[in-house]
Amino acid sequence: MQDIANWIDGHKGEFEKALCDWLRIPSISTDPAFAPEVRRAAEWLMTRMSQCGLEPQLVETNRHPIVVASTPPVPGAPIVLVYGHYDVQPPDPLDEWATPPFEPAIRDGKVYARGATDDKGQCLTHLLSAGAWLATRGKLPVQLKFLIEGEEECGSGSLQELLAGKYDQGEPWTRRLAADIIVVSDSSQYAPGKPAVTYGLRGLSYFEVRLTGPSQDLHSGMFGGAVTNPANALCRMLATLIDSSGRIQVPGFYDDVVELSAKERAGFAALGFDEAAFRKGLQVDATTGEDGYTTNERRWARPTFDINGLLSGYQGEGSKTVLPAKAGAKFSFRLVPNQDPAKIEAAVRKHLQSVCPPGIRMEIIARPGAAGSMVPRDSPFMSAAGRAIEAGFGTAPVFIRSGGSIPIVNQFRSLLGCDTLLLGWGQEDDNLHSPNEKFSLADFHRGTQTSARLWDELSRVKC
């Protein structure tokens, strides 16, 4: 492996330039106005794949294209599917960025730009490592299949359609993408200097509620107390979803929740979580959540409820004594493995209908959700990943769960019949989905080295 490691070290400058070039493309998938830029990001990826020695294909969809590529089969070795996404979140609020979100800036060894860690930087490490193998050895020890989509940040609709057969071209895509293990780098290390393998993800159930009262905004002095105020109603209704001890109050919500085992709780405790440093990094004076659980247990392995956005009434400078005609909120539940998003949706709808007051018309919109997922920790693929990370980062990884959601992981399990290795090179403070998103260039290069070692380690797993 030394020849490959040396080759990667010798191309660090080129790799950083390539990353910055990709980050300059504002591939915001949620906003139709950026559709040409999303396509440009896919085309950039196609070009880079070709430069690495691959033969990519652009799969056209009804929305944003999907990029696929494959290396030749290797008899007796596993087939590895690498999944990632080239689309990014909107950069708002723009005034909180120290430098423009699509003009990559390097400060203190980190690159700042939207998409730096989620997911362009992490995704690129696997492509670069494949290119390193092809440049030095002429072939890879496993067959790699790349599947890079452009809609992860808006629900992966086109990828779901592809897996369901909508874009089949002769041979079904589920057969063309068949693999023994999937590799995804869209998560984080446990802490600086503590790389991790993530074996569990939470799921997601997301809603928007819209309340309408009178036909127009009213004078609060003339009509307040006689007409139901949609903003007041919204606050009361949202407050019924959770109590002061952090328990969600939707009837039946906890029916399928599997409690943490004593062994798993002990494993979390052994990680040495620094609560004070956690609070300091977030600039908060306390942590809160469901009673009876630690911070890591709450954010990784317990269900939660959060209001994600609120809209109602007068938002301008000064005062305006208005009784608003409308009010709305976006809110979500993070789910744990075994909870069914469809059951949660039905229960939430029933609960909100039961607490909606007279004088209010309500509309509930459920956004695409996902179930949680778990990967067996005793898998030989897990062991191979651990060895690769130890070689690339110089220290053995810890095994953690993540509070985030990667909806496509469960669909891969059900449609392709294989598990996913979640190997994150980023850090939790990389500001994913927030202003000043960043990615350590040292971790970018360590991730590339680890990825190159991973293909070697996985080639030794007997399927």
Side-chain angles (χ1 to χ4, degrees):
M1 292 293 296
Q2 195 59 50
D3 57 332
I4 297 174
N6 290 342
W7 193 92
I8 291 172
D9 280 340
H11 288 76
K12 284 183 177 180
E14 176 198 334
F15 292 172
E16 291 177 15
K17 181 182 182 302
L19 174 58
C20 289
D21 287 346
W22 205 14
L23 293 174
R24 288 190 182 93
I25 304 174
S27 49
I28 305 168
S29 60
T30 59
D31 187 341
F34 286 86
E37 299 295 341
V38 178
R39 172 170 288 275
R40 188 159 70 95
E43 291 171 345
W44 183 96
L45 179 60
M46 294 271 291
T47 300
R48 188 69 204 188
M49 284 181 164
S50 297
Q51 292 170 348
C52 288
L54 302 174
E55 296 182 2
Q57 176 185 353
L58 194 72
V59 181
E60 299 289 356
T61 74
N62 289 337
R63 196 170 184 188
H64 301 307
I66 298 169
V67 180
V68 297
S70 180
T71 62
V74 180
I79 301 171
V80 183
L81 176 64
V82 178
Y83 164 82
H85 64 93
Y86 64 86
D87 63 320
V88 301
Q89 282 275 322
D92 308 74
L94 292 174
D95 60 353
E96 294 186 17
W97 284 80
T99 50
F102 296 106
E103 295 179 15
I106 296 176
R107 303 192 297 273
D108 301 321
K110 303 174 182 68
V111 58
Y112 287 80
R114 174 58 87 228
T117 192
D118 181 22
D119 177 45
K120 289 179 178 176
Q122 299 201 64
C123 175
L124 187 58
T125 63
H126 298 304
L127 175 58
L128 296 175
S129 74
W133 271 92
L134 293 172
T136 55
R137 304 279 182 94
K139 61 181 180 180
L140 280 131
V142 295
Q143 182 179 21
L144 288 184
K145 298 179 180 180
F146 286 90
L147 174 66
I148 316 297
E149 66 157 319
E151 297 177 26
E152 194 273 347
E153 301 292 7
C154 58
S156 298
S158 293
L159 180 53
Q160 293 176 42
E161 292 175 343
L162 179 135
L163 294 172
K166 183 171 183 176
Y167 304 110
D168 283 350
Q169 302 166 349
E171 184 179 20
W173 275 109
T174 49
R175 190 176 302 162
R176 294 177 65 176
L177 297 172
D180 298 296
I181 190 68
I182 300 167
V183 172
V184 177
S185 291
D186 196 9
S187 53
S188 301
Q189 301 179 58
Y190 176 63
K194 287 189 176 182
V197 177
T198 301
Y199 65 90
L201 295 169
R202 290 195 294 188
L204 178 69
S205 192
Y206 194 101
F207 300 87
E208 182 175 351
V209 60
R210 300 173 182 174
L211 303 184
T212 303
S215 60
Q216 62 185 31
D217 289 357
L218 302 175
H219 188 295
S220 65
M222 296 176 64
F223 295 95
V227 176
T228 303
N229 183 322
N232 290 2
L234 179 67
C235 292
R236 289 195 299 269
M237 292 169 64
L238 293 177
T240 69
L241 293 173
I242 192 167
D243 66 15
S244 59
S245 67
R247 291 280 295 186
I248 294 162
Q249 297 300 293
V250 176
F253 186 89
Y254 291 92
D255 287 355
D256 298 323
V257 172
V258 178
E259 287 292 331
L260 280 161
S261 67
K263 181 178 180 181
E264 194 166 21
R265 298 189 79 172
F268 288 173
L271 293 172
F273 179 68
D274 189 335
E275 184 92 21
F278 179 78
R279 294 196 305 268
K280 182 179 180 181
L282 298 175
Q283 299 183 36
V284 297
D285 58 12
T287 55
T288 60
E290 186 179 6
D291 288 353
Y293 296 91
T294 67
T295 297
N296 275 346
E297 289 168 351
R298 291 169 183 158
R299 65 194 186 114
W300 288 348
R302 294 297 297 171
T304 56
F305 161 73
D306 284 289
I307 297 170
N308 306 121
L310 292 165
L311 179 64
S312 186
Y314 179 64
Q315 306 291 323
E317 292 292 331
S319 61
K320 183 181 182 182
T321 52
V322 64
L323 189 159
K326 297 179 179 181
K330 296 183 179 184
F331 60 93
S332 60
F333 300 88
R334 292 290 173 171
L335 312 179
V336 294
N338 210 47
Q339 284 187 291
D340 181 352
K343 289 177 64 175
I344 297 301
E345 178 187 338
V348 170
R349 285 182 179 277
K350 183 176 180 180
H351 175 77
L352 289 178
Q353 288 162 357
S354 74
V355 297
C356 184
I360 293 293
R361 299 183 300 281
M362 177 175 62
E363 179 184 11
I364 303 172
I365 302 168
R367 303 298 183 186
S373 62
M374 294 277 282
V375 179
R377 285 190 53 180
D378 58 357
S379 159
F381 293 111
M382 279 278 195
S383 300
R387 292 190 298 271
I389 290 174
E390 185 167 7
F393 281 80
T395 185
V398 296
F399 292 83
I400 63 173
R401 288 211 218 178
S402 171
S405 306
I406 306 178
I408 201 66
V409 167
N410 267 334
Q411 289 173 292
F412 284 150
R413 186 73 187 87
S414 62
L415 295 174
L416 302 181
C418 55
D419 288 323
T420 298
L421 292 174
L422 297 166
L423 313 176
W425 316 140
Q427 298 291 342
E428 284 204 336
D429 68 351
D430 278 345
N431 299 322
L432 285 76
H433 295 201
S434 301
N436 301 307
E437 181 179 347
K438 61 184 173 65
F439 189 24
S440 162
L441 290 175
D443 284 337
F444 172 61
H445 296 305
R446 281 190 282 259
T448 305
Q449 291 282 8
T450 298
S451 176
R453 182 62 67 108
L454 180 64
W455 313 141
D456 180 62
E457 293 289 350
L458 291 176
S459 72
R460 307 174 196 280
V461 176
K462 303 300 181 185
C463 297

